[in-house]
PDB file of all heavy atoms in Angstrom:
ATOM      1  N   THR A 197      87.549 130.201 131.809  1.00 98.00           N
ATOM      2  CA  THR A 197      88.816 129.470 131.696  1.00 98.00           C
ATOM      3  C   THR A 197      88.619 128.116 131.004  1.00 98.00           C
ATOM      4  O   THR A 197      89.295 127.833 130.000  1.00 98.00           O
ATOM      5  CB  THR A 197      89.473 129.318 133.079  1.00 98.00           C
ATOM      6  OG1 THR A 197      89.713 130.622 133.609  1.00 98.00           O
ATOM      7  CG2 THR A 197      90.779 128.556 132.996  1.00 98.00           C
ATOM      8  N   ARG A 222      88.991 120.062 140.929  1.00 98.00           N
ATOM      9  CA  ARG A 222      87.522 119.988 140.810  1.00 98.00           C
ATOM     10  C   ARG A 222      86.854 121.283 141.292  1.00 98.00           C
ATOM     11  O   ARG A 222      85.743 121.265 141.829  1.00 98.00           O
ATOM     12  CB  ARG A 222      86.982 118.808 141.626  1.00 98.00           C
ATOM     13  CG  ARG A 222      87.338 118.892 143.104  1.00 98.00           C
ATOM     14  CD  ARG A 222      86.680 117.812 143.940  1.00 98.00           C
ATOM     15  NE  ARG A 222      87.327 117.683 145.232  1.00 98.00           N
ATOM     16  CZ  ARG A 222      86.977 116.808 146.147  1.00 98.00           C
ATOM     17  NH1 ARG A 222      85.998 115.965 145.918  1.00 98.00           N
ATOM     18  NH2 ARG A 222      87.629 116.766 147.300  1.00 98.00           N
ATOM     19  N   SER A 223      87.544 122.415 141.114  1.00 96.00           N
ATOM     20  CA  SER A 223      86.925 123.670 141.563  1.00 96.00           C
ATOM     21  C   SER A 223      85.737 124.017 140.666  1.00 96.00           C
ATOM     22  O   SER A 223      85.637 123.547 139.524  1.00 96.00           O
ATOM     23  CB  SER A 223      87.947 124.808 141.537  1.00 96.00           C
ATOM     24  OG  SER A 223      88.209 125.191 140.210  1.00 96.00           O
ATOM     25  N   ILE A 225      85.181 126.849 139.395  1.00 94.00           N
ATOM     26  CA  ILE A 225      85.509 127.797 138.326  1.00 94.00           C
ATOM     27  C   ILE A 225      86.358 127.170 137.216  1.00 94.00           C
ATOM     28  O   ILE A 225      86.373 127.674 136.107  1.00 94.00           O
ATOM     29  CB  ILE A 225      86.164 129.089 138.875  1.00 94.00           C
ATOM     30  CG1 ILE A 225      87.508 128.820 139.524  1.00 94.00           C
ATOM     31  CG2 ILE A 225      85.263 129.786 139.867  1.00 94.00           C
ATOM     32  CD1 ILE A 225      88.233 130.117 139.890  1.00 94.00           C
ATOM     33  N   HIS A 247      91.207 114.958 142.233  1.00 98.00           N
ATOM     34  CA  HIS A 247      91.272 115.981 143.282  1.00 98.00           C
ATOM     35  C   HIS A 247      92.260 115.526 144.345  1.00 98.00           C
ATOM     36  O   HIS A 247      92.944 114.506 144.162  1.00 98.00           O
ATOM     37  CB  HIS A 247      89.870 116.240 143.851  1.00 98.00           C
ATOM     38  CG  HIS A 247      89.137 114.986 144.176  1.00 98.00           C
ATOM     39  ND1 HIS A 247      89.361 114.292 145.332  1.00 98.00           N
ATOM     40  CD2 HIS A 247      88.220 114.286 143.455  1.00 98.00           C
ATOM     41  CE1 HIS A 247      88.610 113.218 145.335  1.00 98.00           C
ATOM     42  NE2 HIS A 247      87.907 113.176 144.212  1.00 98.00           N
ATOM     43  N   SER A 248      92.291 116.249 145.451  1.00 98.00           N
ATOM     44  CA  SER A 248      93.348 115.982 146.432  1.00 98.00           C
ATOM     45  C   SER A 248      93.188 114.629 147.137  1.00 98.00           C
ATOM     46  O   SER A 248      94.138 114.140 147.737  1.00 98.00           O
ATOM     47  CB  SER A 248      93.389 117.106 147.470  1.00 98.00           C
ATOM     48  OG  SER A 248      92.213 117.105 148.238  1.00 98.00           O
ATOM     49  N   ILE A 267      95.340 122.907 139.627  1.00 98.00           N
ATOM     50  CA  ILE A 267      95.355 122.634 141.073  1.00 98.00           C
ATOM     51  C   ILE A 267      96.027 123.743 141.890  1.00 98.00           C
ATOM     52  O   ILE A 267      95.864 123.801 143.095  1.00 98.00           O
ATOM     53  CB  ILE A 267      96.005 121.262 141.402  1.00 98.00           C
ATOM     54  CG1 ILE A 267      97.445 121.204 140.937  1.00 98.00           C
ATOM     55  CG2 ILE A 267      95.197 120.134 140.812  1.00 98.00           C
ATOM     56  CD1 ILE A 267      98.142 119.920 141.370  1.00 98.00           C
ATOM     57  N   GLY A 268      96.786 124.598 141.250  1.00 96.00           N
ATOM     58  CA  GLY A 268      97.432 125.681 141.995  1.00 96.00           C
ATOM     59  C   GLY A 268      98.650 125.233 142.790  1.00 96.00           C
ATOM     60  O   GLY A 268      98.911 125.748 143.871  1.00 96.00           O
ATOM     61  N   LYS A 269      99.410 124.254 142.235  1.00 97.00           N
ATOM     62  CA  LYS A 269     100.643 123.789 142.893  1.00 97.00           C
ATOM     63  C   LYS A 269     101.783 123.890 141.875  1.00 97.00           C
ATOM     64  O   LYS A 269     101.766 123.180 140.857  1.00 97.00           O
ATOM     65  CB  LYS A 269     100.483 122.329 143.334  1.00 97.00           C
ATOM     66  CG  LYS A 269      99.387 122.093 144.356  1.00 97.00           C
ATOM     67  CD  LYS A 269      99.975 121.438 145.602  1.00 97.00           C
ATOM     68  CE  LYS A 269      99.276 121.815 146.860  1.00 97.00           C
ATOM     69  NZ  LYS A 269      97.926 121.363 147.070  1.00 97.00           N
ATOM     70  N   PHE A 272     103.761 120.829 139.725  1.00 98.00           N
ATOM     71  CA  PHE A 272     103.301 119.584 140.342  1.00 98.00           C
ATOM     72  C   PHE A 272     103.367 118.406 139.346  1.00 98.00           C
ATOM     73  O   PHE A 272     103.739 117.292 139.709  1.00 98.00           O
ATOM     74  CB  PHE A 272     101.857 119.784 140.826  1.00 98.00           C
ATOM     75  CG  PHE A 272     101.241 118.590 141.472  1.00 98.00           C
ATOM     76  CD1 PHE A 272     101.387 118.365 142.837  1.00 98.00           C
ATOM     77  CD2 PHE A 272     100.490 117.683 140.737  1.00 98.00           C
ATOM     78  CE1 PHE A 272     100.805 117.257 143.441  1.00 98.00           C
ATOM     79  CE2 PHE A 272      99.911 116.575 141.334  1.00 98.00           C
ATOM     80  CZ  PHE A 272     100.062 116.362 142.691  1.00 98.00           C
ATOM     81  N   VAL A 287      96.659 125.120 133.376  1.00 98.00           N
ATOM     82  CA  VAL A 287      95.800 126.233 133.798  1.00 98.00           C
ATOM     83  C   VAL A 287      96.442 127.004 134.959  1.00 98.00           C
ATOM     84  O   VAL A 287      96.179 128.177 135.164  1.00 98.00           O
ATOM     85  CB  VAL A 287      94.401 125.710 134.212  1.00 98.00           C
ATOM     86  CG1 VAL A 287      93.506 126.844 134.702  1.00 98.00           C
ATOM     87  CG2 VAL A 287      93.730 124.989 133.044  1.00 98.00           C
ATOM     88  N   GLY A 288      97.298 126.357 135.699  1.00 97.00           N
ATOM     89  CA  GLY A 288      97.851 126.926 136.934  1.00 97.00           C
ATOM     90  C   GLY A 288      98.613 128.224 136.704  1.00 97.00           C
ATOM     91  O   GLY A 288      99.287 128.402 135.694  1.00 97.00           O
ATOM     92  N   ILE A 289      98.469 129.126 137.670  1.00 92.00           N
ATOM     93  CA  ILE A 289      99.296 130.344 137.691  1.00 92.00           C
ATOM     94  C   ILE A 289      99.808 130.471 139.119  1.00 92.00           C
ATOM     95  O   ILE A 289      99.019 130.687 140.043  1.00 92.00           O
ATOM     96  CB  ILE A 289      98.496 131.613 137.319  1.00 92.00           C
ATOM     97  CG1 ILE A 289      97.819 131.460 135.954  1.00 92.00           C
ATOM     98  CG2 ILE A 289      99.402 132.843 137.342  1.00 92.00           C
ATOM     99  CD1 ILE A 289      96.974 132.658 135.551  1.00 92.00           C
ATOM    100  N   THR A 324      91.370 133.020 128.789  1.00 96.00           N
ATOM    101  CA  THR A 324      90.317 133.308 129.770  1.00 96.00           C
ATOM    102  C   THR A 324      89.742 134.701 129.517  1.00 96.00           C
ATOM    103  O   THR A 324      88.524 134.900 129.516  1.00 96.00           O
ATOM    104  CB  THR A 324      90.905 133.226 131.196  1.00 96.00           C
ATOM    105  OG1 THR A 324      91.388 131.912 131.398  1.00 96.00           O
ATOM    106  CG2 THR A 324      89.866 133.561 132.256  1.00 96.00           C
TER     107      THR A 324
HETATM  108  N1  NAP B1738      94.780 130.733 133.609  1.00 75.76           N
HETATM  109  C1  NAP B1738      93.682 131.287 134.154  1.00 75.76           C
HETATM  110  O1  NAP B1738      93.045 132.141 133.597  1.00 75.76           O
HETATM  111  C2  NAP B1738      93.243 130.778 135.485  1.00 75.76           C
HETATM  112  C3  NAP B1738      91.923 130.925 135.901  1.00 75.76           C
HETATM  113  C4  NAP B1738      91.538 130.376 137.131  1.00 75.76           C
HETATM  114  C5  NAP B1738      92.481 129.725 137.916  1.00 75.76           C
HETATM  115  N2  NAP B1738      93.772 129.657 137.482  1.00 75.76           N
HETATM  116  C6  NAP B1738      94.805 128.950 138.246  1.00 75.76           C
HETATM  117  O2  NAP B1738      94.486 127.561 138.220  1.00 75.76           O
HETATM  118  C7  NAP B1738      94.892 126.951 139.442  1.00 75.76           C
HETATM  119  C8  NAP B1738      93.681 126.283 140.065  1.00 75.76           C
HETATM  120  O3  NAP B1738      92.706 127.266 140.351  1.00 75.76           O
HETATM  121  P1  NAP B1738      91.349 126.908 141.109  1.00 75.76           P
HETATM  122  O4  NAP B1738      90.673 128.193 141.379  1.00 75.76           O
HETATM  123  O5  NAP B1738      90.644 125.836 140.374  1.00 75.76           O
HETATM  124  O6  NAP B1738      91.962 126.330 142.485  1.00 75.76           O
HETATM  125  P2  NAP B1738      91.236 125.754 143.784  1.00 75.76           P
HETATM  126  O7  NAP B1738      89.865 126.282 143.912  1.00 75.76           O
HETATM  127  O8  NAP B1738      92.215 125.925 144.883  1.00 75.76           O
HETATM  128  O9  NAP B1738      91.105 124.205 143.457  1.00 75.76           O
HETATM  129  C9  NAP B1738      92.233 123.395 143.385  1.00 75.76           C
HETATM  130  C10 NAP B1738      91.810 121.989 143.080  1.00 75.76           C
HETATM  131  O10 NAP B1738      92.978 121.198 142.992  1.00 75.76           O
HETATM  132  C11 NAP B1738      92.837 120.043 143.801  1.00 75.76           C
HETATM  133  N3  NAP B1738      94.127 119.639 144.328  1.00 75.76           N
HETATM  134  C12 NAP B1738      94.905 120.322 145.206  1.00 75.76           C
HETATM  135  N4  NAP B1738      96.015 119.620 145.474  1.00 75.76           N
HETATM  136  C13 NAP B1738      95.937 118.480 144.753  1.00 75.76           C
HETATM  137  C14 NAP B1738      96.786 117.347 144.621  1.00 75.76           C
HETATM  138  N5  NAP B1738      97.937 117.248 145.271  1.00 75.76           N
HETATM  139  N6  NAP B1738      96.379 116.368 143.793  1.00 75.76           N
HETATM  140  C15 NAP B1738      95.218 116.438 143.117  1.00 75.76           C
HETATM  141  N7  NAP B1738      94.369 117.486 143.204  1.00 75.76           N
HETATM  142  C16 NAP B1738      94.736 118.495 144.023  1.00 75.76           C
HETATM  143  C17 NAP B1738      91.888 120.441 144.909  1.00 75.76           C
HETATM  144  O11 NAP B1738      91.274 119.275 145.430  1.00 75.76           O
HETATM  145  P3  NAP B1738      90.176 119.318 146.620  1.00 75.76           P
HETATM  146  O12 NAP B1738      88.915 119.770 145.957  1.00 75.76           O
HETATM  147  O13 NAP B1738      90.112 117.921 147.079  1.00 75.76           O
HETATM  148  O14 NAP B1738      90.683 120.286 147.626  1.00 75.76           O
HETATM  149  C18 NAP B1738      90.917 121.364 144.166  1.00 75.76           C
HETATM  150  O15 NAP B1738      89.885 120.634 143.563  1.00 75.76           O
HETATM  151  C19 NAP B1738      95.500 128.078 140.279  1.00 75.76           C
HETATM  152  O16 NAP B1738      96.886 128.098 140.068  1.00 75.76           O
HETATM  153  C20 NAP B1738      94.867 129.332 139.706  1.00 75.76           C
HETATM  154  O17 NAP B1738      95.681 130.489 139.876  1.00 75.76           O
HETATM  155  C21 NAP B1738      94.160 130.145 136.284  1.00 75.76           C
END
Side-chain angles (χ1 to χ4, degrees):
T197 300
R222 59 174 163 181
S223 73
I225 64 172
H247 47 80
S248 66
I267 61 174
K269 298 237 148 68
F272 179 88
V287 178
I289 304 178
T324 299

